[in-house]
Amino acid sequence: MEYRKAVLSDIATLSRLRLDMLCEENPLSSGQRAVIEDNTKRFFLNGFTDNSVIGWVAVFNQYIVCMGCVNFFSFPPNDWCPNGKTAYVGNMYTLPDFRGRGVASTILSNLI
């Protein structure tokens, strides 16, 4: 298993994996899938370009089998976050055949 930072050329695969993740929770129509896939590609492209999103992937035999991302964003400062800068870990997804092997744990460690 190879672990590495996600790059622009991974965007199509990351978008498909995210759709798989969403469909496990709630199946989407083909129309919904198309819209969400398009918007997800744009989200990753913008995020990777402006460094508001960092992704890590696990690669097995040249295929991405697990992904995770950190989204950086700002909101109005408050008592628990005086500068308003925060991050959110999300889009954690592992293909079913690779679950239970610690792959996502390694991705999470890299994201942190």
Side-chain angles (χ1 to χ4, degrees):
M1 193 73 62
E2 171 197 352
Y3 297 91
R4 63 171 173 78
K5 191 173 174 183
V7 295
L8 290 174
S9 60
D10 296 326
I11 288 175
T13 302
L14 298 177
S15 298
R16 282 193 305 275
L17 288 174
R18 184 168 185 277
L19 279 170
D20 289 348
M21 176 187 75
L22 294 173
C23 287
E24 278 188 27
E25 298 170 4
N26 185 26
L28 301 169
S29 70
S30 59
Q32 290 172 311
R33 277 187 73 96
V35 169
I36 292 173
E37 184 171 15
D38 241 15
N39 289 339
T40 301
K41 285 178 184 176
R42 198 168 311 116
F43 167 81
F44 283 130
L45 177 62
N46 292 338
F48 287 177
T49 301
D50 70 10
N51 293 313
S52 64
V53 176
I54 293 174
W56 274 80
V57 295
V59 179
F60 182 78
N61 286 340
Q62 299 180 344
Y63 293 99
I64 295 174
V65 300
C66 182
M67 65 179 277
C69 296
V70 174
N71 300 2
F72 300 96
F73 59 96
S74 297
F75 55 87
N78 58 46
D79 59 330
W80 58 270
C81 188
N83 66 7
K85 294 179 182 179
T86 190
Y88 176 82
V89 174
N91 297 306
M92 294 291 302
Y93 182 73
T94 306
L95 291 175
D97 289 346
F98 293 87
R99 293 178 184 167
R101 300 182 188 185
V103 179
S105 294
T106 302
I107 292 288
L108 182 58
S109 292
N110 284 318
L111 289 172
I112 291 170

